[in-house]
Amino acid sequence: MKFSKYRAVANKYKILLPLLISNYFFKKSTNKPITKFIILSRSRTGSTMLINYLDRLPDSYVQSEMLRRKLLIPFWKKIPDLIYGRHFKKYQIAGFKCFYYHPIDDWDSNRFIFEYIFSHPEIKVIHWEREDLFAVIISRYIAEKTGAWAKIKKVKELQNFKINENSFKYDLESTLSQIETTKKLFVNYKNY
């Protein structure tokens, strides 16, 4: 069964609904995480592996691509407040990952997360990169061809395929630009 954007949003609501309830009904609660973080990256860098490791820490609340789509979630800009806000359980750390180009359905809105971080200087920024950008881009093409974005038991066998030179070049140049922009943006940010 193909994973639709609507199913992805339904999964986000399963995550966000308890946070909405918790933030609404427990306004006086002190169950706020002490350490807040965000992982900034791009796809195929091992960021899911990092999220999985962080999620195994005791007293951690870690989510994946919470800002992936904007248009189907009416309270999209409130998501960071919910992640870092009050929880039923007392967490020590809370955070999520965001790719440079999120939300994928409205790239012009991606400045919002940077504005949010700068207005909350206690948030720790993990800028996650993979040194071999050629491997990153090829890995993405393979994932698109096989439909396997994370390690699963059975992977469709990959047939030979060609990568368009212009699209490869565009992917490489845009990734380098996103990395440099992020580094410049956070050069004086103390929690980077």
Side-chain angles (χ1 to χ4, degrees), residues 69-84:
R69 292 190 184 276
K70 177 187 177 188
L71 300 178
L72 297 176
I73 301 179
F75 52 90
W76 182 77
K77 278 198 171 186
K78 295 246 180 238
I79 289 174
D81 287 330
L82 294 173
I83 298 290
Y84 303 133

Side-chain angles (χ1 to χ4, degrees), residues 61-76:
Y61 182 81
V62 183
Q63 293 299 327
S64 195
E65 300 168 35
M66 297 305 294
L67 298 176
R68 187 167 192 265
R69 292 190 184 276
K70 177 187 177 188
L71 300 178
L72 297 176
I73 301 179
F75 52 90
W76 182 77

Side-chain angles (χ1 to χ4, degrees), residues 69-103:
R69 292 190 184 276
K70 177 187 177 188
L71 300 178
L72 297 176
I73 301 179
F75 52 90
W76 182 77
K77 278 198 171 186
K78 295 246 180 238
I79 289 174
D81 287 330
L82 294 173
I83 298 290
Y84 303 133
R86 292 167 185 85
H87 293 260
F88 289 116
K89 186 181 167 188
K90 194 164 191 166
Y91 292 109
Q92 295 295 310
I93 66 168
F96 63 100
K97 77 172 173 177
C98 180
F99 291 155
Y100 307 122
Y101 42 83
H102 281 173

Side-chain angles (χ1 to χ4, degrees), residues 14-25:
K14 280 197 300 195
I15 294 163
L16 294 170
L17 190 60
L19 296 180
L20 275 169
I21 293 167
S22 180
N23 275 270
Y24 184 78
F25 288 108

